[in-house]
């Protein structure tokens, strides 16, 4: 997952408010020679570019309009094996190159998740790219069934499936019932589209976007899950990419319903590092004066929530959290080791610690948003789409006992996250995927970025992907507990090397290492 701030974005349907000029039509060369009969009309479609704001209260759309971004809908088949059948739309946005004399081409963005859109992202990327930004058409898109792209919403009463199994068997049984119910809800509401929600189909959509933009090759920037999507695209459409950056990279052989288990050790280590930081600020947070004391406070809060839900906040924003939800708060707060991120988690744990002592608490807007995600259906669409992609890509074990045994084995080494990272999920009750996972069989030039302490997509995954793509180069941020680096972490070493590659198309001569320090 990307930074939690991106989870709560309001994603509305995108219909250009005012038609504008029509884009250049893709030539026959933009349609892959091996495409199924009937796909040519998608690759060669005209895009009607217009404003991004759909209504007066569409804040994101208005901001894009002010930044000079235009929006359009790309028509794609629901089922690529039946191109003359039902169609859906994929929303895209474009900030056009202003340095047309030195224009490089189009760059497609993906913000990970899965379930996060990128229609909103071109202006931000343009700023991060500095002098190189004006040389690209920067294109954001919301993947199929996400945000403005024919959205999927199963009508859940939660916005995430990232819960802990808790401290005992009874908690695990409640989780089995919860996830079985979530899967059944999706099957009841969206059975007709679920078989077509997958990374491979999103990659097919990306290639249609490339063709509709009139590009023979397209550049790509993906964060987190977006690194897996980008890898899949290079394998399904070899030779169709120009410059590729994969930040927070995933080993494609590990992607699937149990991917989170790969980062359980990183989560525990990141929490320990945060505890050391918090111990030095006991006067502010009151969690303990040593790492051991802070971790003991965390464990005490979890145990207290297991005996009875903690009540935090005040009406109308009052929430009850048990031992399935408190570890999720920890997980959400560990995506970065900046002081700002660590302070946010410190404030949240301070609230939980007071609640465990029976004291009244006040919630920050950020904490309120996080708890709404975990305990209400406000972000049901995001959680539904994320889960549908993961379950649609790879099968999960069906027997709940497989998960329970793994959880029990993990408790000693991973006392706070073993029961979360190894927990059962909706995929255990999902229909089997229609396609096999993508195998890496083609080399691709790519710049891979990773931090050694990444708590979401472990650094070992980036190293593995680097090994699979012989022509790739790896930038490692040493000593950082950070997920998603470029632009977001303000690390000049990383940002400058990425921008140099995007400007020249030349990968570094060798792998590079950057220090944790910014600037």
């Amino acid at each position: 997952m990307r930074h939690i701030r991106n989870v709560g974005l309001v994603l509305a349907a995108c219909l250009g408010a005012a038609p504008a000029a029509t884009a250049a039509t893709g030539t026959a060369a933009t349609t892959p020679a091996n495409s199924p009969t009937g796909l040519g009309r998608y690759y060669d479609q005209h895009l009607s570019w217009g404003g991004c704001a759909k209504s007066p209260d569409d804040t994101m759309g208005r901001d894009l309009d002010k930044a000079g971004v235009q929006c359009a809908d790309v028509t794609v088949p629901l089922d690529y094996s039946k191109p003359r059948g039902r169609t859906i739309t994929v929303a895209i946005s474009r900030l056009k190159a202003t340095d047309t004399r030195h224009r490089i081409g189009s760059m497609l963005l993906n913000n990970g998740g899965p379930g996060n859109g990128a229609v909103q992202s071109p202006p931000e990327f343009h700023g991060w790219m500095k002098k190189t930004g004006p040389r690209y058409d920067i294109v954001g898109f919301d993947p199929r069934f996400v945000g403005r792209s024919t959205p999927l919403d199963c009508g859940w009463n939660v916005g995430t499936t990232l819960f802990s199994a808790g401290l005992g068997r009874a908690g695990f049984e409640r989780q089995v019932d919860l996830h079985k119910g979530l899967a059944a809800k999706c099957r009841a509401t969206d059975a007709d589209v679920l078989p077509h929600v997958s990374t491979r189909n999103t990659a097919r959509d990306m290639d249609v976007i490339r063709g509709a933009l009139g590009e023979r090759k397209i550049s790509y920037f993906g964060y987190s899950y977006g690194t897996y999507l980008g890898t899949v695209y290079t394998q399904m459409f070899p030779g169709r990419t120009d410059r590729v950056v994969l930040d927070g990279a995933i080993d494609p052989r590990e992607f699937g319903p149990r991917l989170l288990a790969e980062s359980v050790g990183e989560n525990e280590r990141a929490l320990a590092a945060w505890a050391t930081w918090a111990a030095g600020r006991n006067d502010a947070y009151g969690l303990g004066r040593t790492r051991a004391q802070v971790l003991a406070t965390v464990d005490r809060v979890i145990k207290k929530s297991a005996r009875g839900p903690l009540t935090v906040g005040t009406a109308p924003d009052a929430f009850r959290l048990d031992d399935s939800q408190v570890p999720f708060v920890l997980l959400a707060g560990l995506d970065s080791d900046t002081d700002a991120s660590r302070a946010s988690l410190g404030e949240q744990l301070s609230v939980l610690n007071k609640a465990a002592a029976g004291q009244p608490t006040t919630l920050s807007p950020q904490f309120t948003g996080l708890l709404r995600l975990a305990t209400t259906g406000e972000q049901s669409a995001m959680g539904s789409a994320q889960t549908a992609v993961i379950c649609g890509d790879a099968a999960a074990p069906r027997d709940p006992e497989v998960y329970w045994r793994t959880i029990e084995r993990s408790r000693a080494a991973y006392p706070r996250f073993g029961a979360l990272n190894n927990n059962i999920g909706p995929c255990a009750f999902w229909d089997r995927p229609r396609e096999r996972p993508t195998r890496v069989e083609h080399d691709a030039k790519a710049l891979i970025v990773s931090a050694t302490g990444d708590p979401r997509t472990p650094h070992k995954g980036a190293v593995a992907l680097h090994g699979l793509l012989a022509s790739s180069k790896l930038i490692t941020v040493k000593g950082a507990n950070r997920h998603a680096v470029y632009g977001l972490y303000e690390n000049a070493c990383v940002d400058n090397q990425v921008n140099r590659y995007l400007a020249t198309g030349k990968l570094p001569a060798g792998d590079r290492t950057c220090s944790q320090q910014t600037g």
Side-chain angles (χ1 to χ4, degrees), residues 273-287:
W274 169 82
T276 299
W277 179 93
R281 295 157 179 82
N282 183 61
D283 290 345
Y285 306 115
L287 301 174

Side-chain angles (χ1 to χ4, degrees), residues 343-416:
S344 179
L345 182 58
E347 292 166 2
Q348 293 169 8
L349 258 296
S350 180
V351 166
L352 294 177
N353 191 35
K354 290 177 181 177
Q359 301 175 16
T361 57
T362 301
L363 305 180
S364 67
Q366 182 186 23
F367 199 13
T368 298
L370 178 65
L371 296 182
R372 284 189 176 278
L373 170 71
T375 63
T376 77
E378 286 187 4
Q379 295 296 324
S380 168
M382 190 279 296
S384 301
Q386 179 178 92
T387 302
V389 173
I390 295 171
C391 301
D393 272 14
R398 316 293 280 187
D399 184 0
E401 294 304 316
V402 171
Y403 301 90
W404 176 248
R405 288 193 294 268
T406 304
I407 288 167
E408 288 290 270
R409 288 195 299 268
S410 71
R411 290 190 190 276
Y414 311 115
R416 297 105 197 169

Side-chain angles (χ1 to χ4, degrees), residues 134-155:
R135 300 178 62 191
Y136 280 90
D137 287 356
I138 306 175
V139 181
F141 80 108
D142 288 354
R144 57 170 50 203
F145 306 114
V146 171
R148 301 187 175 208
S149 297
T150 313
L152 168 73
D153 188 347
C154 299

Side-chain angles (χ1 to χ4, degrees), residues 3 62 118 163 192 215 224 229 248 369 373 382 417 474 480 493-494 498:
H3 195 285
R62 290 204 317 270
F163 298 110
D192 57 335
E215 302 283 9
S224 193
L229 173 61
L373 170 71
M382 190 279 296
F417 294 108
L474 176 63
C493 175
V494 170
V498 170

Side-chain angles (χ1 to χ4, degrees), residues 241-404:
T241 55
D242 182 9
R243 298 158 203 199
V244 176
V245 182
L246 307 175
D247 189 336
I250 294 172
D251 181 347
R253 297 167 298 189
E254 299 294 339
F255 184 78
R258 307 192 79 180
L259 176 65
L260 200 61
E262 294 294 309
S263 62
V264 63
E266 283 77 5
N267 293 158
E268 292 284 354
R269 287 188 285 274
L271 181 65
W274 169 82
T276 299
W277 179 93
R281 295 157 179 82
N282 183 61
D283 290 345
Y285 306 115
L287 301 174
R289 297 189 179 280
T290 66
R291 171 190 286 192
Q293 289 175 358
V294 173
L295 291 176
T297 299
V298 170
D299 292 340
R300 185 168 60 251
V301 167
I302 294 174
K303 290 176 182 177
K304 183 72 173 181
S305 71
R307 291 195 290 269
L310 308 180
T311 299
V312 298
T314 56
D317 291 319
F319 305 89
R320 288 168 59 81
L321 308 179
D322 62 21
D323 56 335
S324 72
Q325 296 151 329
V326 171
F328 167 73
V329 173
L330 300 175
L331 182 77
L334 291 173
D335 71 327
S336 181
D337 56 11
T338 63
D339 280 346
S341 293
R342 285 178 162 174
S344 179
L345 182 58
E347 292 166 2
Q348 293 169 8
L349 258 296
S350 180
V351 166
L352 294 177
N353 191 35
K354 290 177 181 177
Q359 301 175 16
T361 57
T362 301
L363 305 180
S364 67
Q366 182 186 23
F367 199 13
T368 298
L370 178 65
L371 296 182
R372 284 189 176 278
L373 170 71
T375 63
T376 77
E378 286 187 4
Q379 295 296 324
S380 168
M382 190 279 296
S384 301
Q386 179 178 92
T387 302
V389 173
I390 295 171
C391 301
D393 272 14
R398 316 293 280 187
D399 184 0
E401 294 304 316
V402 171
Y403 301 90
W404 176 248

